[in-house]
Amino acid sequence: MIPRSLFILLLCLTVLLPVSATARDRPPVIAAAASMQPVLQAMADRFEARTGAQVRFSFGASGNLRRQITRGAPFQLFLSADAEQPAALMAAGRVDGRADTYALGSLALVLRDGLLAQREVMLEDLPDLVREGLIRRFAIASPEHAPYGIAARSVLQQAAVWEAVQGVLVIGENVGQTAQFMRSGAADAGLVAGSFLSDPRFAETVRAVPLAPDSYQLPRHDLVLLEGAGATARAFRNFVLSADGRAILEAYGFRVP
C-alpha cells in the first residue's frame, strides 16, 4: 500500500506536469520597439511557414521595454530601436550573448491627408504653419524613452524649430501611438518612423514629406537574446539576421547594415 504522503506527492506531480509542459510549449514573447510593428507580423508569418513555430510580441518604447526586462518581464528576445537599451541590459548581465545590429531606421515628416496639398512643406516652415493656425497639433514620440522621439527632437532642434512647436506638441508614449495620432486625425502633422509608410492603411491617411538625408542620424536598431531564451526565440533571432529577414526589413523601409 502506498503511504499517504507519497500518494499526495504523486498526485501533485500528476497535476503539475501538464501545466509545465504547456508553459514550455507556449510561444515565446519577444519585446519589440513600436517602430517594428508593421514588419514583425510579416516576419512572424514567414517564420511560422518555414519552421512551424510561433512567436508573440509585446510592443512599446524601447526604454520602457528595457525597464520591464530589468524588473523580470518574461521576454526572451529584445528588438530595440536603438543601441543604448541593449547595451544597458548587457551591462546589467541580463543578456545571453552579444548585441547585433539588425536594421537602420528612418524618420518621416507626415501631414494629415489633404492638408497643404498644393504647398511644398519643409521642417523650416513649421513656425509659420503653427503661427497661421494650419498646424494645431504636431505629434512625436516621447523624447524621454522612445528612440524615435529622441531622434524627432534632435531633428527639430537642428532645424531650429523645436521651440516653435512646443505649444502644439502631442506626445505619444511610443512611435506606434504617434502614428495612431496621425491615422486617426488627432494630429495635423508629425514625425514618425519611416517604416509606417509601408503600411497602406497608414500611408493613405497621410502625406509624407522627405527629410534631407543629412538632417539626422539614422537610428541604429540592435537586438539581444535575453537570459533563459529558448530554441524558438533563438531561431527567430537568426531569421531576423538572415538574408530573408533582411529582405523583409528592406521591403518595409528599413536599411540593413
Side-chain angles (χ1 to χ4, degrees):
M1 184 174 180
I2 300 177
R4 179 178 175 81
S5 59
L6 181 57
F7 174 78
I8 292 174
L9 176 61
L10 291 172
L11 180 62
C12 288
L13 289 173
T14 302
V15 172
L16 289 174
L17 279 174
V19 175
S20 300
T22 301
R24 204 167 42 240
D25 297 338
R26 194 173 296 144
V29 181
I30 294 170
S35 57
M36 296 301 296
Q37 196 163 351
V39 65
L40 278 181
Q41 191 54 57
M43 280 199 172
D45 291 343
R46 183 80 61 85
F47 177 73
E48 182 179 358
R50 174 169 296 183
T51 66
Q54 295 180 328
V55 294
R56 296 178 292 158
F57 300 107
S58 179
F59 293 104
S62 297
N64 284 344
L65 291 171
R66 190 260 304 165
R67 281 187 284 273
Q68 292 175 32
I69 291 166
T70 59
R71 293 169 186 163
F75 303 136
Q76 297 189 30
L77 176 65
F78 178 32
L79 286 83
S80 183
D82 64 6
E84 287 73 23
Q85 309 307 325
L89 290 173
M90 290 181 67
R94 305 303 296 267
V95 168
D96 183 351
R98 69 175 193 275
D100 290 283
T101 300
Y102 65 94
L104 298 174
S106 62
L107 269 177
L109 172 63
V110 291
L111 305 174
R112 177 170 42 81
D113 188 36
L115 179 67
L116 303 168
Q118 306 303 318
R119 183 168 170 179
E120 184 178 350
V121 176
M122 298 185 295
L123 284 172
E124 290 74 13
D125 298 321
L126 289 178
D128 289 339
L129 297 175
V130 170
R131 191 163 41 248
E132 295 167 18
L134 295 172
I135 292 181
R136 294 169 296 170
R137 295 174 297 274
F138 190 87
I140 66 171
S142 171
E144 301 304 317
H145 49 247
Y148 278 89
I150 296 170
R153 178 176 59 189
S154 175
V155 165
L156 294 169
Q157 287 173 336
Q158 288 183 46
V161 299
W162 175 247
E163 296 300 327
V165 300
Q166 289 302 295
V168 295
L169 277 182
V170 180
I171 305 295
E173 179 68 16
N174 53 63
V175 74
Q177 188 177 60
T178 306
Q180 180 57 35
F181 289 157
M182 293 301 307
R183 186 184 292 119
S184 67
D188 302 307
L191 286 164
V192 302
S195 57
F196 284 97
L197 296 175
S198 63
D199 182 351
R201 296 170 301 175
F202 178 76
E204 67 187 10
T205 65
V206 301
R207 170 190 168 200
V209 179
L211 294 178
D214 60 352
S215 65
Y216 68 101
Q217 185 173 358
L218 293 175
R220 172 179 148 193
H221 293 36
D222 279 8
L223 62 78
V224 283
L225 280 168
L226 302 172
E227 292 177 307
T232 300
R234 294 173 185 275
F236 189 76
R237 167 199 173 274
N238 293 340
F239 178 77
V240 172
L241 297 173
S242 72
D244 281 350
R246 290 159 63 92
I248 295 173
L249 285 164
E250 288 183 317
Y252 277 77
F254 290 95
R255 298 186 187 182
V256 294

